[in-house]
């Protein structure tokens, strides 16, 4: 079952800013077009399976130049329940 994750990043102060590009494990996922009043900027990524992932963002200007990717937000997804414990046993029983 795939995960849909909404992430955000503060808007950088750059008059030429056009979009934020979202990455999972260094692989491009999608792009959010940025408006002058959008802060923070939100994006949605889809992650196919449980595991650990590094989420990053890069900015793109009006000319199409793309920045380096940001520092990573590390995310671990796990939807599998832990093992069921054994039935309880009586350790001490007494009359009150």
């Amino acid at each position: 079952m795939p995960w849909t994750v909404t992430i955000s990043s503060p808007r950088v102060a750059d008059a030429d800013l056009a979009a934020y590009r979202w990455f999972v494990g260094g692989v491009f996922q999608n792009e959010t077009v940025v408006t002058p009043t959008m802060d923070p900027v939100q994006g949605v990524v889809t992650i196919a399976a449980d595991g650990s992932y590094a989420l990053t963002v890069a900015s793109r200007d009006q000319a199409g130049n793309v920045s380096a990717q940001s520092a990573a937000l590390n995310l671990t997804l796990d939807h599998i329940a832990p093992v069921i414990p054994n039935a309880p046993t009586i350790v001490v029983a007494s009359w009150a």
Side-chain angles (χ1 to χ4, degrees):
M1 164 174 38
W3 294 85
T4 301
V5 181
T6 301
I7 52 182
S8 71
S9 181
R11 186 181 192 287
V12 295
D14 183 347
D16 198 31
L17 180 65
Y20 269 13
R21 298 173 56 88
W22 306 99
F23 298 82
V24 176
V27 177
F28 174 73
Q29 286 278 310
N30 68 28
E31 185 173 271
T32 301
V33 174
V34 177
T35 64
T37 59
M38 190 182 290
D39 191 13
V41 179
Q42 291 189 342
V44 176
V45 296
T46 301
I47 298 174
D50 287 0
S52 295
Y53 299 91
L55 308 179
T56 56
V57 61
S59 57
R60 180 180 59 78
D61 66 16
Q62 299 291 337
N65 301 308
V66 178
S67 72
Q69 293 177 32
S70 67
L73 167 66
N74 295 311
L75 174 68
T76 300
L77 300 172
D78 178 5
H79 78 281
I80 299 170
V83 176
I84 299 170
N86 295 326
T89 58
I90 296 174
V91 176
V92 175
S94 61
W95 288 98

